[in-house]
Amino acid sequence: MRTQPYVLILLSSSRQLTLRDGDLLDCGFWAEEFLTPWKILRDSGWPVVLATPDGQPPQVDPESVQAANLDGDSQRVEALLAELRDLAPLLSTVQDIRRLDDELLHTLRGLFIPGGNGPLQDLPQSAALARLLCYCEARGTPVATLCHGSAALLATTTDDRRAFSGYTVSCFSKAEEESTRLSGRWPFHLEEALRAMGFQTDLGPAWSEHWVQDRLLLSGQNPASAAALTRAFVAQLEAIRHHKGSRHGR
């Protein structure tokens, strides 16, 4: 039985993104947006559990391990691929968020949702994810979304509840989306979709490090924001743990 507090990293399990013109694009989670938080959380001493919306193993977004998307740095590509190979056993056996039991929910201390193109396909459609986000909001559990991972905030429960409504968030911006090779073909622009659902968006210059925090919801704009966002997330986890420890010690 799991009794140790842990952080849940939720990854998309989508393998193809349906583009506006009907074409299908191979997709998944963005390598650095998963590996950077994973390493920071591990080094901070926080146990991590991996999950997807349906319990299916996730796949890395092929574009996230292409040198063209990493400043032409082939050594960086090889390092990312090596880290992913090391974590292959964990990535092949993930939790299904539809089946989180009471103990797993009780010991959940934080939820981190990386991006990639996959999250645009499956996260907004997951009622189970919406329920988990509502649970986190009600329990005061910190949530961090990164880049297209902020698409999770579009999810609604079967009775039309949406967590964190009206909060200020960041995400991969329309300007950034339109500067990629998919310009004009995205199924929707996340920045616009979030605003249409009542969220306030806070965005920095394209491709620059930028993250925001509104109460216990933290969100980062792009891959360059992964490290800073995760460190802020860890600081929030530690602040809550310290507060609870101090309260119980009195």
Side-chain angles (χ1 to χ4, degrees):
M1 294 179 64
R2 174 176 297 277
T3 57
Q4 188 177 20
Y6 73 100
V7 170
L8 189 71
I9 292 183
L10 177 68
L11 298 169
S12 167
S13 61
S14 289
R15 294 174 176 264
Q16 289 187 312
L17 175 67
T18 304
L19 300 176
R20 184 171 299 179
D21 55 16
D23 285 350
L24 298 177
L25 174 76
D26 288 343
C27 67
F29 64 86
W30 204 257
E32 284 189 304
E33 293 184 19
F34 162 60
L35 291 169
T36 297
W38 167 269
K39 288 183 287 188
I40 292 174
L41 286 162
R42 178 198 61 195
D43 293 346
S44 300
W46 280 95
V48 173
V49 173
L50 303 183
T52 61
D54 56 6
Q56 294 300 307
Q59 75 172 10
V60 66
D61 197 311
E63 295 200 1
S64 70
V65 287
Q66 293 177 358
N69 294 319
L70 294 164
D71 300 320
D73 190 339
S74 58
Q75 290 185 330
R76 199 164 148 205
V77 171
E78 290 306 314
L80 290 172
L81 291 172
E83 291 172 10
L84 289 169
R85 284 193 295 270
D86 289 343
L87 292 174
L90 286 175
L91 288 165
S92 66
T93 54
V94 296
Q95 290 283 333
D96 183 338
I97 61 168
R98 298 172 301 181
R99 295 178 171 83
L100 292 177
D101 60 29
D102 289 343
E103 185 184 10
L104 280 169
L105 287 172
H106 181 70
T107 51
L108 174 65
R109 294 294 179 269
L111 173 62
F112 196 104
I113 307 176
N117 292 329
L120 294 176
Q121 187 76 22
D122 61 349
L123 299 194
Q125 313 304 323
S126 174
L129 172 55
R131 289 194 298 272
L132 179 59
L133 290 170
C134 288
Y135 175 88
C136 290
E137 183 182 21
R139 289 287 299 269
T141 301
V143 173
T145 64
L146 179 57
C147 199
H148 278 143
S150 294
L153 301 171
L154 299 174
T156 58
T157 64
T158 53
D159 55 353
D160 282 337
R161 289 181 297 127
R162 178 180 289 111
F164 305 110
S165 293
Y167 278 48
T168 296
V169 299
S170 195
C171 67
F172 201 55
S173 69
K174 181 178 180 180
E176 288 167 321
E177 288 173 339
E178 288 301 288
S179 67
T180 72
R181 70 182 184 87
L182 293 180
S183 177
R185 303 178 69 203
W186 292 95
F188 60 91
H189 290 298
L190 181 54
E191 172 189 342
E192 293 178 343
L194 287 167
R195 284 204 298 267
M197 294 301 171
F199 292 94
Q200 307 299 312
T201 56
D202 186 324
L203 303 165
W207 309 108
S208 65
E209 176 187 307
H210 184 77
W211 66 274
V212 299
Q213 179 171 358
D214 188 343
R215 287 156 279 185
L216 292 181
L217 177 64
L218 300 88
S219 50
Q221 182 168 324
N222 49 35
S225 310
L229 173 67
T230 310
R231 292 190 186 103
F233 179 64
V234 169
Q236 189 65 70
L237 295 173
E238 296 296 343
I240 292 174
R241 177 157 66 179
H242 177 74
H243 174 72
K244 288 183 176 179
S246 299
R247 185 180 61 194
H248 293 321
R250 287 200 295 266

